[in-house]
Amino acid sequence: MEHDPRPFSRPNLFQPTLPSPGEWTVRIYPLLSSSSTLTRKAAEKAEKSVRKGKKDRKGPKRPLSAYMFFSQDWRERIKAENPDAGFGEVGKLLGAKWKELDESEKKPYVEQAARDKERADKEKADYDKNGKGDSGDDEEADD
């Protein structure tokens, strides 16, 4: 039998010990085990969330912004200049180019967006006036 040179085993105070899995919950999340905060927050969230009806695919499209018209116009040019750029990189380049434009260069896109907004408002008014705002999925549209 070998003799242990250390008569008493002392814990090393400089190395922290890991708690057991059950202790993690008590140490790190003391409010989870005894508080009703979670259930109250969950109840409030459930009250706030209101189910939306299904979107009518035949409904009017939303208007595009001036930047979106610019983006449609310039995307192919940017991709031609940077063929190895990915989708995100092309978006960053488009955003940088849009910021560089002055008001006179943005004017055609802004006017196009204004016309598109008028179109969308007119379509929405017609859509709401005809009473198709509530469902419209079951009926066939006259084209």
Side-chain angles (χ1 to χ4, degrees):
M1 195 176 214
E2 289 187 28
H3 178 65
D4 187 8
R6 296 173 293 157
F8 299 104
S9 167
R10 293 187 204 177
N12 188 346
L13 300 177
F14 298 105
Q15 289 183 340
T17 60
L18 293 176
S20 66
E23 292 179 64
W24 279 107
T25 308
V26 174
R27 288 186 184 181
I28 297 174
Y29 306 108
L31 297 176
L32 291 180
S33 58
S34 63
S35 177
S36 64
T37 310
L38 281 179
T39 56
R40 186 172 60 236
K41 286 183 180 179
E44 289 173 4
K45 192 173 185 179
E47 289 174 9
K48 288 181 184 177
S49 65
V50 177
R51 285 201 158 192
K52 294 182 181 180
K54 289 187 177 180
K55 183 176 178 178
D56 186 4
R57 296 192 185 276
K58 297 174 186 169
K61 303 293 182 204
R62 295 180 70 179
L64 295 178
S65 66
Y67 173 74
M68 290 306 296
F69 283 111
F70 165 81
S71 175
Q72 288 176 350
D73 190 28
W74 277 78
R75 183 169 296 277
E76 290 304 318
R77 294 182 218 177
I78 297 290
K79 287 179 87 172
E81 293 171 7
N82 305 292
D84 56 339
F87 181 80
E89 185 65 29
V90 171
K92 288 178 186 177
L93 294 170
L94 283 168
K97 181 69 175 170
W98 177 253
K99 286 181 182 179
E100 290 174 5
L101 297 180
D102 60 354
E103 294 304 316
S104 63
E105 293 173 320
K106 289 182 181 180
K107 188 176 179 181
Y109 302 111
V110 172
E111 290 172 353
Q112 198 174 4
R115 285 192 305 270
D116 194 44
K117 178 153 177 49
E118 290 172 8
R119 179 226 23 108
D121 289 343
K122 182 179 179 293
E123 285 181 7
K124 182 165 178 10
D126 292 343
Y127 182 78
D128 291 340
K129 183 177 70 174
N130 292 335
K132 294 181 183 176
D134 45 312
S135 67
D137 284 337
D138 299 331
E139 298 175 16
E140 297 251 345
D142 295 332
D143 289 334

